[in-house]
Amino acid sequence: MSDTSPRFPRPLQRTRLYEQVAEQISAWIAENGLKAGDRLPPERELATRLGVSRATLSQALVALEVVGVVAVRHGDGTVLTDKAGSARIKDAIRAHADRMPEVIEARDALETKLAALAAERRTDADIAAITSALDEMARDVDAGGRGVHADEHFHGAVTAAAYSPLLASMMATLRELIVETRIESLSQPGRPRDSLAGHQKIADAIIAGDPNAAYQAMHEHVLMVSDVALLRERP
């Protein structure tokens, strides 16, 4: 017997405010004929032009950075990339938001184990690489930057110190997705310095050769990374 019950359409997804603003920015870019390499106006000026708050504009710009439409260069402002003309920016932003919880789960599973192994297996050269990444991030944060590249170098040094080729391969598979979450996290107010402190705690445990403390420190760090405005505003 065939099913004759009515089929209702799937509920529409609510568009988040920062998604709307991201689309406004994209439309403004197109209307003004901007292209790759051009800089956007300062946030205060752009917020005034679009009639939105600085906070919402900042979140929209982070979303655009995450999907590769803009690049934020410390001391040089927000610069357009060759993806600035993409017609499906909102879809890309939403896809990032939807997959972010799974990426964080994967990071917690993999990186906590890598940190514990690093505490057991690290060499003097590994300690030097981890310490160098910490110093690099400290310099960037002190200069007003977010420490994005140094953050990646730190986690790469921890992964290398674990001497687990299979886990390292898994991390490499996730690299691009982790870069997205890293940008999102380090764009939160005060987060770069908090992240630096979390890295120091992980490094201290690895240098001390304490796998349990390294595991716990990395777990706490990943939990902090997961606390981002984008996920707090999920419908």
Side-chain angles (χ1 to χ4, degrees):
M1 184 175 177
S2 61
D3 182 6
T4 59
S5 58
R7 298 191 180 279
F8 298 99
R10 295 174 67 183
L12 296 175
Q13 287 186 290
R14 176 174 63 84
T15 301
R16 304 172 183 92
L17 181 57
Y18 74 88
E19 292 175 345
Q20 297 174 31
V21 175
E23 289 195 312
Q24 280 184 267
I25 295 170
S26 301
W28 184 87
I29 289 169
E31 289 167 4
N32 287 273
L34 301 183
K35 58 186 183 302
D38 288 340
R39 284 197 297 267
L40 290 180
E43 285 191 20
R44 185 183 302 278
E45 180 183 341
L46 188 56
T48 299
R49 291 189 187 188
L50 296 175
V52 298
S53 71
R54 284 280 303 279
T56 301
L57 175 68
S58 294
Q59 193 175 353
L61 289 173
V62 169
L64 291 174
E65 183 184 7
V66 163
V67 299
V69 171
V70 301
V72 177
R73 301 171 184 168
H74 181 51
D76 198 27
T78 303
V79 181
L80 299 183
T81 71
D82 56 6
K83 293 183 181 179
S86 172
R88 303 189 66 80
I89 287 173
K90 186 172 74 174
D91 290 344
I93 292 172
R94 182 160 291 173
H96 161 70
D98 289 344
R99 66 178 168 255
M100 196 172 178
E102 288 189 66
V103 175
I104 291 168
E105 284 181 0
R107 285 194 70 179
D108 194 31
L110 292 172
E111 293 201 75
T112 50
K113 180 62 176 179
L114 285 164
L117 290 175
E120 296 174 349
R121 302 172 179 176
R122 82 286 185 273
T123 66
D124 289 344
D126 294 319
I127 291 173
I130 289 170
T131 302
S132 176
L134 278 175
D135 292 342
E136 180 188 356
M137 188 172 190
R139 288 193 299 270
D140 193 5
V141 172
D142 287 343
R146 295 176 297 178
V148 173
H149 296 299
D151 186 294
E152 184 171 8
H153 294 164
F154 176 83
H155 287 276
V158 171
T159 296
Y163 293 95
S164 175
L166 184 55
L167 289 179
S169 177
M170 292 178 183
M171 286 297 295
T173 300
L174 291 172
R175 181 183 177 278
E176 292 301 321
L177 297 177
I178 291 175
V179 167
E180 292 182 1
T181 64
R182 179 171 288 121
I183 292 171
E184 175 73 24
S185 177
L186 291 174
S187 297
Q188 307 297 301
R191 182 61 55 80
R193 197 159 294 282
D194 290 343
S195 181
L196 177 60
H199 285 176
Q200 185 66 62
K201 189 174 180 181
I202 295 165
D204 288 344
I206 291 173
I207 293 169
D210 187 336
N212 291 329
Y215 182 103
Q216 185 60 33
M218 183 64 82
H219 174 63
E220 292 171 0
H221 177 68
V222 174
L223 285 182
M224 179 183 66
V225 167
S226 69
D227 180 20
V228 295
L230 186 151
L231 294 184
R232 290 196 296 269
E233 293 188 11
R234 286 173 66 85

